[in-house]
Amino acid sequence: MVLLSLAVALIGSVPLMLMTDQTSMVWIALILFVRGISVGGINLPLTSDAYLGIPEQQLAEAGVGINIIENVGSSFGSALIATIVATIGLGNHGTVQQQLAGFHAGFLVSIIVLLLLIGPALKLSQKK
């Protein structure tokens, strides 16, 4: 499931690197919707696999720890991509082409991170 969701996220990310100032908002919304669907297929199996092997009496503490790690990781990733987009796009003073270049770079980073997730996805426990 994770590998399929990663593939959908990758397929949904490539068009976002190719968008221009003429790209229809309908297409952008559709692509973002497809990418958003894939997030559940990536997050849920990774989270559920983190609980494997934890004794029942430690599940509450493990849940808190796992949520903290996910939230810190998500915040760091969002901040990293926002910084890249803002730096390359030169904030509000950049031209449309500079701002698009910032978004393209942000989605390139997103694609690289998705590719890096393939390794951990292959190491998940196999349910039979």
Side-chain angles (χ1 to χ4, degrees):
M1 184 65 182
V2 176
L3 292 175
L4 176 65
S5 296
L6 282 170
V8 170
L10 286 167
I11 290 167
S13 297
V14 172
L16 293 170
M17 287 190 54
L18 304 174
M19 68 180 171
T20 68
D21 58 342
Q22 302 300 315
T23 305
S24 168
M25 285 302 292
V26 173
W27 283 112
I28 293 172
L30 182 63
I31 292 166
L32 288 172
F33 177 75
V34 169
R35 280 188 89 235
I37 289 173
S38 69
V39 170
I42 296 169
N43 280 350
L44 292 176
L46 290 174
T47 301
S48 65
D49 209 58
Y51 285 101
L52 290 178
I54 296 175
E56 188 173 333
Q57 54 273 41
Q58 292 180 338
L59 284 177
E61 294 90 348
V64 171
I66 290 168
N67 283 331
I68 289 171
I69 291 168
E70 286 178 354
N71 287 332
V72 169
S74 296
S75 298
F76 177 76
S78 297
L80 176 67
I81 291 175
T83 301
I84 290 169
V85 170
T87 301
I88 294 175
L90 299 174
N92 293 330
H93 304 297
T95 65
V96 172
Q97 295 307 320
Q98 287 171 315
Q99 291 174 359
L100 278 171
F103 281 105
H104 292 165
F107 284 111
L108 176 62
V109 170
S110 175
I111 288 172
I112 291 168
V113 170
L114 288 169
L115 289 171
L116 291 174
L117 279 176
I118 292 173
L122 293 172
K123 302 242 185 246
L124 290 175
S125 62
Q126 299 296 320
K127 312 250 184 334
K128 298 189 187 224

